[in-house]
Amino acid sequence: MKLVSKRIERDRSGFVKLICEEAEDVWHVYNLISKGDQLKSSTERRIRLDGATGSADSTRLKLTITISITDIVFDPTTCSLRVNGKNITESKHIKLGAFHTVDVVLNQTFTLLKEEWDSINLDRIDDACDVTKQADVGAIVLQEGLSNICLLTKHMTVVRQRIETPIPRKRRGSVTNYEKGLQRFFDQIYQSMLRHFNFEILKVIIIAGPGFIKDQLFTYIFDQATKADNKQLLQSRSKFLTVHSSSGHKHSLQEVMNEPSVQVKMADTKATKEINALEQFYAMLEKDPDRAFYGFNHVRIADQNSAIHTLLITDELFRSADVPLRRLYSRMVDRVKQNGGTSLIFSSMHVSGEQLNQLSGIAAILKFPLPDIEEIEAHEIQREHLTETDLSSRDKA
């Protein structure tokens, strides 16, 4: 992502002008925009023109338009983003208040205006505009007849290709057919890997699967690389790591990431911090449950007691249509930082974020135990109930 210009006022209103340079940048923009924001961008619209003879012709004109956003549609498979909204700019071609759709596309400048820019959004822009933030982990998860070719960044697990190939069963007297089917399967994976992996950027390439199939694929890859004299692939041999996984499905990546050998290999990559934090949370939940909590109410109480050491929260919560709720999460992140804690925002497009979403999307590792947190919550609920009852009695009176 390229930051062209930025102006944030003291009241936190302002704009940023950006250019998406790669697919993952579009994902960042999806997380930045909210309903009610304004988006200024070039777009095309079919315009009806009255001809000299009275007939009506139509043509497509390129216009610059500013819309007040009413709807946001993101397709994770293609990383495409469509933003719908009402036109708020004077134009002889588009009426004020008319609905229009703007596509956020690569290499096109756009301006995003907000009434309030919070620290989460500003940090995301800084992160996205850092040229070092690129996918540096590749992964192939497979089982017989099924494979997922993936790229992992700090924010996303992107399945570049899913391969499904029928392989004949290994039967007595028909081993040849089985081996031919397996070779065809391995060749599809090999060709896909060459298309989708940039070996100059990737620091780690994981091959994961049950049994011996991962080792068979590793052998096949470097047999083919040797035959083709693919020097770049041969020089990247040390980056490859074979790991056991229960299946060839994408979700098996989570168990792979928790392997100690993978953790060591990935120590210098960007996806590791969130994975480690989630693993530490589960470990704390098991050995000292009074220092690990999940769910909004429990985490909120821990925050009120300045007890949070590490806050784990998914970006999905910051896309809530409830503005006060979004502010509440944002202020919680700021308070944790002010109190000397760490806040980690997990991407819901990454396997670690998907797992955190199963725990309500928010969790915390505490500095010290809070064994009475259940009693505090029950007391607050009772107090709120009594307040509501009191107000109801006053209204009746």
Side-chain angles (χ1 to χ4, degrees), residues 5 16 124 152 179 184 199 201 218 285 292 299 308 370 372:
S5 61
V16 292
R124 181 175 285 276
L152 282 72
E179 289 179 344
R184 283 195 301 271
F199 297 104
I201 293 174
F218 178 83
L285 194 63
V299 174
I308 296 178
L370 279 180
D372 302 327

Side-chain angles (χ1 to χ4, degrees), residues 31 56 359 389:
N31 282 280
L359 298 175
T389 304

Side-chain angles (χ1 to χ4, degrees), residues 296-298 300-302 304-305 373-388:
F296 174 72
N297 284 337
H298 286 177
R300 178 176 58 86
I301 292 168
Q304 289 170 348
N305 286 272
I373 203 165
E374 300 281 356
E375 294 179 16
I376 296 171
E377 182 185 20
H379 178 71
E380 287 191 355
I381 292 171
Q382 184 181 17
R383 186 175 61 188
E384 288 171 5
H385 175 70
L386 289 172
T387 303
E388 287 173 5

Side-chain angles (χ1 to χ4, degrees), residues 37 46 52 70 75 88 95 100 127 140-141 157-158 204 218-219 250 280 289 297 314 352 359 386:
D37 293 347
R46 187 169 291 280
T70 58
D75 184 348
I88 58 172
K95 292 180 180 179
H100 190 77
D127 189 51
I140 303 168
V141 282
T157 301
V158 182
V204 182
F218 178 83
T219 301
K250 175 192 168 186
Q280 288 167 14
N297 284 337
T314 64
S352 57
L359 298 175
L386 289 172

Side-chain angles (χ1 to χ4, degrees), residues 238-252:
S238 61
K239 298 178 181 179
F240 280 76
L241 184 66
T242 55
V243 187
H244 172 80
S245 70
S246 56
S247 75
H249 294 280
K250 175 192 168 186
H251 63 75
S252 294

